[in-house]
Amino acid sequence: MNVANVVVDIPVAQTNRIFDYKIPPHLEASVFPGMRVIVPFGPRKIMGYVLQLTDHSDIEKIKSIDDLMDITPVLTPELLHLGKWLADYTLSFYISTFQAMLPQALKASYEKEIHRLSNELSSDLERIIGERDHIPYQEFIDSGGSYRVLQQAIQAGDLEVIYHVHSKETTKKHTMIHSILDPLQLEEAIANLPQQAKKKKKILQFFQEHKGPIVKKQLLNQLNTTHSTVKQLINDELLTEEKVEVYRNPYQYREIERTKPLPLMNQQKKVMDEICEALDRTLHRVFLLHGVTGSGKTEVYLQAIQHALEKGKEAIVLVPEISLTPQMVTRFKARFGSKVAVMHSALSKGERYDEWRKIHRKEVQVVVGARSAIFAPFENLGLLIIDEEHETSYKQEEHPRYHARDVAIHRATYHNCPVVLGSATPSLESFARAKKGIYHLLSMPERMNEAKMPSVQLVDMRDELHAGNRSMFSRQLKQAIEERIQRKEQVVLFLNRRGYSTFVMCRDCGYVNNCPHCDIALTYHRNNQRLKCHYCNYEEKMPNNCPECDSDTIRYFGTGTQKVEEALQEMIPEANVIRMDVDTTRRKGAHEKLLNQFGNHQADILLGTQMIAKGLDFANVTLVGVLAADSLLNLPDFRASEKTFQLLTQVSGRAGRHQLPGEVIIQTYTPEHYSIKLASAYDYESFFKKEMLMRKTYQYPPYFYLTLITVSHPNQAKVMEITKTISLLLRKHLSESVRILGPTPSPLTKIKDRYRYQCMIKYKNEPNQRKILRKILAYFENDMRKEELFIQIDLQPYQLM
Ligand code: ADP
Ligand code: ZN
Ligand code: ZN
């Protein structure tokens, strides 16, 4: 076994294959599949993953592995297989899928250096390199070094270029101080100190009382002493210091009170029995748990996980990024303590790496995390749970374009274990599969403690306008808010927009300022009176008069959270408002702080965007207001109705979760739309039927599969031509039953000065599709490398803009 099959760190089609490398004798016993290695590639050194070991290669001039980057493999055999499958399934490169499975910190970083080989260089080079033996490549370029001069010098044997590959991972270390003296020796040392050495004395006395080592920082704080004093004692050989590796601890959970499993209600018991049966019999089964908000799904997850742990197995729980609140994490930590790792994109690179290492070292058995936690390197999986399975954030919108649900089911097949998909509003795809018996449907229709779902009132904003109310708050909502404030109850207000910024429109002629590069409305920023593009950062001054008709009635339109906050303050000055949106939660920890403030009743109203729609559980919230239900309904996306239904249901679930009854007010310009009407009646089944009918009529998922091909290029004629060629090739090579739409301009036809065109494949069963798409990609590969052509293929699109 002295040959390694390696996938190299160059994500292009040409290198998307296996390369053979010889394992040099001194590394022979140390290389294993799943390790990162450094290998020579052309003139460079790059990182690669070892897939397999063999004892034969057909390559004549086989090169050798340069070095190892890992002591133990970072990818398990299962994950290596999964990565290969995923790359084929999503039409990605092998290297991209392996990278996607690992924390950022394990990516390689590359450094180029220029080394001097000769004592005499040309004066130009002497000027740049000077006395030194080598300099960073970038410095060479920055100081005016040219490629030609460099090439000549390399040919003449005066210089060489050396490539370094580094791993980016770092570990955090604490300096620990301890005493090396026994109590008697300490006593003596103290007595021997001169009278004036009070500080030293204090430290040694501390170690008389405390036997173990202490973190240096803590010692300094506690004794109010200095580095130099400690240093002197170390020099005197009375104390020693030592660096100890510690985990970065993103959540401080010292005070978490442990919880015990609750006695289950009937509907929970039934669900639990089914999941445990699959667990006990090591059956791969996919359950769709349809349970209304507050029906006790999370408690079922917790107990099912416990069952898996008792059988010596491990569990992964996926939660959407925005629901991964401290409240949510606490529920898991409170039940399983230090057995839990948390993988969250808000963690720093280092923190994520530390959490990953806990899994890798088998120090934890449970992972709670967002999408990429599905790749946790467990080897003995017993249960995979995806909460809020309908959330589109489970689909990765960059290479590799995978859906966590597909990955979960694939892993569960390998481990022969159950998958639980949970939601109050399952995706149409999943519910349809459950109805067909592909998934096992489990239902929890009742809320805990017989709490009722809050009553929902729809308010027609057109009526408000006709009645002369031009504000963004209907009379009903205003009154309801005032009542809550009087009763010292709390309110959640939801708006589907970000920031203060919104578009500018002329009330006279309807003119809207668009970005000249991106074809989307510019947004108004009040602080500097400017209009900005949210894609490319283009900006211009806010005009005083309409550029079309010169009217002075041009002004911003629509509502952002900041504007709502101001209007709210004006309408109800005594109200205390916390605003939560992208802008107020940008800083680390801000999210948690604001929620805590609201939880402690430091404010009456929590006003926010999507991020407050889920997961929050506050006992005192009795009113939820939705300001403009229509904003989602009008996106160019065939899932717009489904998304509106899901969002309204979710938002409503925030009210009246405890003793106090809840009320929901939804403001809309189209109260007659079925997704708004049925969401207000909590009628998922009727919505499902109605929406399935629409999907069938217009040939959308789950009746048809979609593939979206988006082509972009700075030259519009070129994009149109290439997209046309692609659609012709598809028409020619795919089967008759397939429908090909387009080419058409994408809804966002221009982003960052690139034109975007698309075509869409609608199909029921097309086994050859991937092969043909790969060929098309290969056909354009040269153009993609040389020119500024992008072809993006999404085999299960969720973003249709
Ligand atoms: P979901 O995840 O479906 O929204 P939760 O699991 O959060 O529901 O449960 C809602 C509330 O009911 C929580 O406060 C939870 O602690 C409580 N709860 C859940 N199961 C039980 C039970 N068996 N007995 C008593 N209270 C429960
Ligand atoms: Zn105008
Ligand atoms: Zn722009």
Side-chain angles (χ1 to χ4, degrees):
M1 295 294 189
N2 59 351
V3 173
N5 298 152
V6 175
V7 165
V8 295
D9 186 13
I10 308 175
V12 300
Q14 265 188 334
T15 53
N16 189 39
R17 59 182 184 87
I18 285 164
F19 291 89
D20 289 350
Y21 284 94
K22 208 168 131 61
I23 303 172
H26 72 281
L27 293 179
E28 233 163 59
S30 321
V31 181
F32 294 98
M35 279 184 175
R36 296 172 305 155
V37 290
I38 298 173
V39 292
F41 199 86
R44 297 190 269 172
K45 296 248 164 64
I46 56 175
M47 192 260 284
Y49 293 96
V50 177
L51 293 195
Q52 226 174 300
L53 305 181
T54 61
D55 43 23
H56 170 77
S57 171
D58 291 331
I59 313 290
E60 269 180 30
K61 285 188 180 165
I62 188 169
K63 292 183 183 170
S64 284
I65 290 179
D66 218 66
D67 206 354
L68 301 182
M69 292 174 82
D70 296 310
I71 297 165
T72 55
V74 291
L75 290 167
T76 63
E78 182 218 340
L79 290 178
L80 287 170
H81 277 115
L82 183 74
K84 278 194 278 186
W85 167 77
L86 195 58
D88 291 334
Y89 188 69
T90 61
L91 297 182
S92 310
F93 302 124
Y94 297 122
I95 190 71
S96 315
T97 52
F98 293 138
Q99 306 270 39
M101 295 179 178
L102 293 170
Q104 274 273 321
L106 292 180
K107 275 195 173 177
S109 72
Y110 296 96
E111 252 173 71
K112 251 199 258 184
E113 284 172 358
I114 293 178
H115 285 241
R116 169 202 282 276
L117 294 178
S118 150
N119 286 330
E120 275 172 55
L121 301 175
S122 69
S123 58
D124 253 6
L125 291 174
E126 285 293 353
R127 176 181 59 81
I128 298 173
I129 299 175
E131 299 285 285
R132 287 169 295 178
D133 170 57
H134 64 267
I135 66 167
Y137 180 79
Q138 198 51 46
E139 188 187 328
F140 177 81
I141 297 298
D142 292 345
S143 332
S146 79
Y147 292 97
R148 223 170 55 85
V149 173
L150 182 60
Q151 258 170 1
Q152 280 168 354
I154 289 171
Q155 248 161 25
D158 289 343
L159 294 180
E160 69 175 334
V161 175
I162 291 192
Y163 295 83
H164 288 290
V165 188
H166 298 285
S167 196
K168 290 188 204 158
E169 73 258 31
T170 57
T171 50
K172 183 173 170 177
K173 300 221 163 89
H174 272 165
T175 307
M176 306 293 292
I177 304 290
H178 44 128
S179 157
I180 34 183
L181 307 178
D182 62 33
L184 266 178
Q185 291 171 312
L186 259 178
E187 188 82 55
E188 201 181 310
I190 292 170
N192 287 343
L193 284 175
Q195 196 62 32
Q196 65 276 25
K198 287 204 179 100
K199 277 188 182 165
K200 283 188 182 175
K201 199 165 163 186
K202 207 160 134 199
I203 295 177
L204 292 183
Q205 278 166 345
F206 173 87
F207 282 100
Q208 277 188 307
E209 284 156 37
H210 295 82
K211 297 275 139 34
I214 179 171
V215 178
K216 186 173 179 185
K217 253 198 209 143
Q218 213 176 324
L219 181 74
L220 298 182
N221 276 341
Q222 215 166 318
L223 301 186
N224 196 15
T225 187
T226 61
H227 281 283
S228 71
T229 321
V230 176
K231 189 86 203 268
Q232 283 167 29
L233 288 169
I234 292 169
N235 288 345
D236 296 343
E237 295 186 353
L238 299 174
L239 299 180
T240 56
E241 70 178 347
E242 175 184 28
K243 297 246 182 212
V244 182
E245 196 183 296
V246 292
Y247 288 129
R248 282 156 275 225
N249 189 4
Y251 298 96
Q252 301 291 336
Y253 285 106
R254 273 160 288 139
E255 308 285 320
I256 290 187
E257 224 175 283
R258 293 297 284 263
T259 58
K260 289 214 175 65
L262 301 168
L264 293 180
M265 306 304 236
N266 265 337
Q267 61 175 12
Q268 289 173 311
K269 254 192 223 126
K270 278 195 200 134
V271 167
M272 201 38 204
D273 286 348
E274 293 250 14
I275 299 171
C276 290
E277 195 208 330
L279 255 165
D280 292 341
R281 292 172 50 201
T282 49
L283 286 181
H284 167 57
R285 222 170 240 179
V286 183
F287 295 103
L288 177 63
L289 172 53
H290 179 209
V292 297
T293 32
S295 58
K297 293 189 292 295
T298 312
E299 183 62 33
V300 170
Y301 301 153
L302 290 167
Q303 299 198 20
I305 292 168
Q306 184 167 355
H307 193 79
L309 296 187
E310 281 160 6
K311 301 188 85 65
K313 303 262 173 111
E314 299 140 341
I316 297 176
V317 188
L318 294 194
V319 176
E321 193 74 59
I322 38 178
S323 314
L324 203 48
T325 56
Q327 281 181 334
M328 186 60 144
V329 173
T330 303
R331 286 183 77 174
F332 285 87
K333 290 259 183 184
R335 197 63 64 85
F336 304 115
S338 59
K339 290 197 177 95
V340 183
V342 180
M343 299 284 259
H344 187 201
S345 72
L347 304 183
S348 73
K349 254 191 225 162
E351 288 164 350
R352 279 176 74 87
Y353 173 58
D354 282 358
E355 293 297 297
W356 179 87
R357 273 192 308 152
K358 290 182 195 166
I359 309 166
H360 189 229
R361 292 175 168 182
K362 314 247 179 300
E363 293 169 3
V364 295
Q365 287 75 44
V366 182
V367 171
V368 181
R371 182 180 59 229
S372 64
I374 200 62
F375 297 116
F378 283 136
E379 294 184 273
N380 199 13
L381 268 174
L383 181 62
L384 295 102
I385 295 169
I386 303 187
D387 191 28
E388 316 261 15
E389 70 89 31
H390 61 277
E391 271 292 312
T392 50
S393 63
Y394 287 128
K395 170 73 192 297
Q396 172 148 303
E397 292 299 348
E398 58 186 60
H399 268 306
R401 293 170 192 277
Y402 69 91
H403 197 296
R405 197 198 293 131
D406 299 330
V407 177
I409 292 172
H410 199 266
R411 291 198 75 179
T413 318
Y414 178 94
H415 288 279
N416 271 317
C417 73
V419 176
V420 180
L421 309 173
S423 175
T425 51
S427 62
L428 251 69
E429 284 90 336
S430 293
F431 205 72
R433 273 183 206 144
K435 289 243 155 177
K436 275 174 92 176
I438 302 169
Y439 297 167
H440 294 245
L441 185 62
L442 304 172
S443 301
M444 301 208 301
E446 310 290 335
R447 273 190 140 183
M448 273 303 130
N449 314 325
E450 275 149 44
K452 284 215 178 60
M453 292 301 281
S455 70
V456 180
Q457 188 188 353
L458 295 181
V459 177
D460 190 337
M461 290 305 277
R462 292 170 304 192
D463 293 347
E464 290 298 299
L465 203 66
H466 297 153
N469 176 12
R470 300 184 146 264
S471 98
M472 60 186 88
F473 297 95
S474 60
R475 291 159 294 177
Q476 292 93 320
L477 184 57
K478 175 171 186 269
Q479 194 192 340
I481 295 174
E482 283 167 344
E483 280 169 18
R484 303 308 130 129
I485 292 177
Q486 264 165 24
R487 295 210 298 259
K488 305 237 177 301
E489 293 168 6
Q490 286 173 293
V491 180
V492 169
L493 288 183
F494 176 78
L495 187 75
N496 183 38
R497 276 247 180 74
R498 82 169 276 257
Y500 182 88
S501 50
T502 132
F503 65 100
V504 163
M505 188 171 98
C506 169
R507 307 277 165 112
D508 264 2
C509 75
Y511 175 84
V512 173
N513 278 62
N514 275 331
C515 171
H517 311 290
C518 300
D519 196 37
I520 59 160
L522 295 173
T523 52
Y524 174 60
H525 285 245
R526 197 184 58 150
N527 52 354
N528 55 4
Q529 294 284 313
R530 290 181 79 81
L531 300 172
K532 255 192 196 166
C533 170
H534 266 263
Y535 288 102
C536 75
N537 282 332
Y538 168 86
E539 56 174 281
E540 61 183 47
K541 203 178 147 289
M542 163 81 182
N544 294 323
N545 295 75
C546 173
E548 270 306 297
C549 73
D550 207 37
S551 158
D552 62 1
T553 61
I554 186 159
R555 57 187 58 132
Y556 54 87
F557 197 84
T559 39
T561 41
Q562 195 172 333
K563 198 171 150 210
V564 175
E565 187 183 10
E566 284 170 16
L568 199 57
Q569 292 293 0
E570 206 168 293
M571 183 174 77
I572 311 172
E574 71 272 21
N576 255 319
V577 182
I578 290 180
R579 175 163 64 92
M580 238 170 89
D581 56 22
V582 186
D583 294 322
T584 61
T585 53
R586 196 162 284 138
R587 263 181 310 114
K588 212 179 154 189
H591 191 252
E592 183 178 358
K593 207 170 119 201
L594 292 176
L595 287 181
N596 280 340
Q597 283 173 3
F598 189 65
N600 297 334
H601 206 154
Q602 284 165 270
D604 311 298
I605 301 175
L606 178 64
L607 166 69
T609 53
Q610 255 87 340
M611 64 176 69
I612 63 167
K614 317 198 165 79
L616 306 187
D617 190 3
F618 294 112
N620 202 34
V621 171
T622 58
L623 173 68
V624 170
V626 178
L627 290 166
D630 315 76
S631 52
L632 257 183
L633 207 49
N634 298 311
L635 290 176
D637 181 343
F638 74 89
R639 288 193 181 87
S641 298
E642 185 183 355
K643 284 182 179 165
T644 304
F645 183 88
Q646 287 163 348
L647 195 72
L648 293 181
T649 307
Q650 217 105 46
V651 174
S652 307
R654 297 304 110 216
R657 288 172 68 87
H658 298 267
Q659 274 77 24
L660 300 168
E663 185 189 356
V664 179
I665 295 180
I666 297 175
Q667 303 189 153
T668 170
Y669 290 87
T670 48
E672 62 279 1
H673 192 281
Y674 65 92
S675 68
I676 294 180
K677 223 162 57 188
L678 293 172
S680 72
Y682 300 104
D683 191 350
Y684 178 82
E685 287 270 352
S686 300
F687 173 77
F688 174 77
K689 284 199 189 102
K690 174 86 189 165
E691 182 66 12
M692 284 295 272
L693 206 65
M694 305 292 279
R695 301 283 179 91
K696 193 171 183 181
T697 312
Y698 294 98
Q699 302 196 326
Y700 281 125
Y703 289 97
F704 282 76
Y705 292 104
L706 292 185
T707 300
L708 180 67
I709 302 168
T710 308
V711 182
S712 75
H713 194 282
N715 180 327
Q716 189 168 16
K718 184 102 187 175
V719 190
M720 286 166 63
E721 179 203 312
I722 291 174
T723 319
K724 196 161 166 207
T725 310
I726 291 176
S727 60
L728 285 176
L729 286 170
L730 291 173
R731 286 200 171 91
K732 190 165 158 211
H733 295 288
L734 291 177
S735 63
E736 297 265 298
S737 63
V738 167
R739 284 195 61 199
I740 291 149
L741 307 183
T744 58
S746 305
L748 297 167
T749 44
K750 204 174 167 195
I751 294 180
K752 297 189 183 172
D753 285 319
R754 305 176 61 84
Y755 290 89
R756 302 168 82 237
Y757 273 68
Q758 66 181 46
C759 52
M760 205 184 269
I761 310 172
K762 282 187 176 180
Y763 64 101
K764 274 203 175 266
N765 182 22
E766 191 65 13
N768 271 333
Q769 186 190 210
R770 283 183 173 78
K771 211 170 78 199
I772 290 159
L773 289 171
R774 280 238 188 247
K775 279 193 180 151
I776 290 177
L777 283 177
Y779 180 79
F780 287 106
E781 161 119 86
N782 262 338
D783 289 318
M784 290 203 273
R785 215 152 354 124
K786 281 201 305 267
E787 298 183 52
E788 297 184 272
L789 172 69
F790 291 158
I791 300 175
Q792 179 185 303
I793 298 181
D794 196 337
L795 286 143
Q796 208 184 348
Y798 282 84
Q799 252 180 28
L800 293 144
M801 309 284 272

